[in-house]
Each structure stands twice: as structure tokens, then as C-alpha cells.
Amino acid sequence: MPGYSVETATHRIGESDYQIRSLRDRQQFWDPDGRAERAGISSASWPMFGVVWPAGVALANEMSQFPIAGKSILEIGCGIGLSSLVLQRRGADITASDYHPLAEEFLRYNAELNGLPPIKFLTAPWAGPNPDLGRFDLFIGSDLLYERDHPTLLAAFLACHAKMAAHVLITDPGRTYCGQFNTRMSAQGYRRTERRLQFAGENTPGCRGRIMSFMRSHP
């Protein structure tokens, strides 16, 4: 048996219900073979991948109605992968990525739990290199900019894997490092817009959040 506790809950996204197995709480750590340690994941940050966060729910709701035709899509730092599940149900060309050693296992289980085909998954640390990842039209992610080095790392990752015409969508609860990320994305030719929205999550009061959109057209 794994050394962590899980629970399964129903989440209403758009017009559909999703059964999601997640960690029971954020006070867990299990790394018997040292994979998390080798990936630089501390015991404090280890459980964060396996929680359904308000920003993740907001992104999933956005993906339940977002135009997807003809777009190759990458979910960055997918964690529990709720948005990837929503897009898979819609028939999107979706790839999920994370660097947590259990992210792929949880994603596979939750796809099966919801009667969905397996979702393509790649381990993709932002510091790279990621030669098998390729380039994408649309990047999505939730609450990605919570550490000091994240703006630099994420912008560099996108520079390696975005097509010339690309779109990046990030739901954010108000992290202070977003300004640095905005500057780096502007230097890559992206135009930024922002929309405020109310986040709501399991056992979490509604909080003010935003969805940031970065668009770059063909030169």
C-alpha cells in the first residue's frame, strides 16, 4: 500500500461531473525511492501536486468552454490534471506535464475513473532540457508563479516550446511574482490581457483571482 491517504470527490465543471481522487490532506510525504528528492521536491511541497486548488478549478471551468479546434495544448504543472481531464473529454489534442513523480499515476487513475482514454503525459521540468516535448499552440496552467525563480524558469520553458503564434493562459490567485513574468513575456513578443474572476474551491471561501492571457501572433 502507498504511504499516503487519498479521497475521491465529485467536482462540477461546466455541465459535467468529474470524480477526482486526490490526497486527503496537505500533511503528507512519501518518497521511498528518492525520486522526489532527486527532482528537488521538498517534503513541504511534496503534497501540493495532489490537491484540487481553487485556481485549478477556475482553469478547468475556463477549459470547459474555451475554443480548442486545431490547437495542440500543453498543461504546464498539471498536478492533479483536472483541466487535462476536461479537455480530454472534449476531444482536445491535450498533453499534460509535471515533474512530480506521482502526477502521471494520479492522472491515469482519474482518467480511468471518469471513463476517459489515457492522457498523454510527459515529465517536463522547466529547467529542461525536454527534447521529446515539441512545440504547442496553447499553454495552460494554474497558480504557477509562487516561487522567486518561477518567472524566469517558466518564460524560458515557453520560449523553447511555444510556436511562433502562441497563447498562454494562467489562472492566478494574486502571486507577487507575476509582474516579473509579465516583463519576460513582453520581451518574447506577447501581448497580455487580464480578467478578474471569483475563485471557489472545496472547503475554501471564494477569493478574488484572475486569468492572465498572453498572446503572440505571427510576425
Side-chain angles (χ1 to χ4, degrees):
M1 292 293 291
Y4 51 86
S5 299
V6 298
E7 62 183 6
T8 300
T10 301
H11 296 267
R12 185 74 171 178
I13 304 296
E15 300 299 321
S16 300
D17 288 333
Y18 292 82
Q19 299 296 315
I20 301 297
R21 185 183 74 164
S22 61
L23 294 178
R24 189 177 299 276
D25 57 62
R26 286 177 272 167
Q27 308 302 318
Q28 302 189 56
F29 178 69
W30 188 67
D31 189 28
D33 56 6
R35 285 195 298 161
E37 182 181 5
R38 290 191 296 274
I41 300 171
S42 68
S43 58
S45 62
W46 184 91
M48 301 308 173
F49 88 97
V51 178
V52 179
W53 296 96
V57 174
L59 181 64
N61 274 301
E62 187 75 12
M63 290 302 103
S64 71
Q65 57 187 349
F66 194 83
I68 58 172
K71 296 175 182 176
S72 56
I73 307 170
L74 179 69
E75 183 173 10
I76 306 170
C78 68
I80 212 71
L82 183 57
S83 291
S84 289
L85 294 166
V86 170
L87 289 167
Q88 182 77 325
R89 179 169 282 177
R90 294 184 63 201
D93 177 8
I94 176 65
T95 300
S97 68
D98 206 297
Y99 76 123
H100 195 287
L102 288 182
E104 183 176 12
E105 177 183 329
F106 271 68
L107 183 65
R108 182 174 59 250
Y109 183 94
N110 282 321
E112 293 177 357
L113 190 61
N114 289 277
L116 298 173
I119 296 169
K120 184 179 180 182
F121 177 91
L122 289 172
T123 300
W126 295 352
N130 299 289
D132 297 327
L133 195 56
R135 292 183 179 270
F136 296 84
D137 302 297
L138 173 63
F139 299 82
I140 62 171
S142 59
D143 198 5
L144 299 178
L145 299 165
Y146 55 88
E147 297 284 0
R148 184 184 301 273
D149 60 348
H150 283 178
T152 299
L153 289 172
L154 182 54
F157 177 88
L158 291 167
C160 291
H161 299 292
K163 294 182 179 179
M164 284 304 300
H167 192 180
V168 181
L169 279 174
I170 300 174
T171 52
D172 179 78
R175 300 292 186 180
T176 59
Y177 299 119
C178 288
Q180 298 174 34
F181 182 69
N182 296 342
T183 300
R184 284 164 173 77
M185 293 296 282
S186 178
Q188 292 185 27
Y190 287 89
R191 178 176 57 85
R192 174 184 178 274
T193 58
E194 177 181 304
R195 174 162 51 89
R196 295 284 176 172
L197 68 165
Q198 195 80 7
F199 286 0
E202 202 73 19
N203 302 319
T204 304
C207 62
R208 292 292 292 172
R210 58 188 169 182
I211 183 163
M212 301 183 298
S213 173
F214 302 86
M215 295 195 71
R216 183 175 67 188
S217 303
H218 282 292

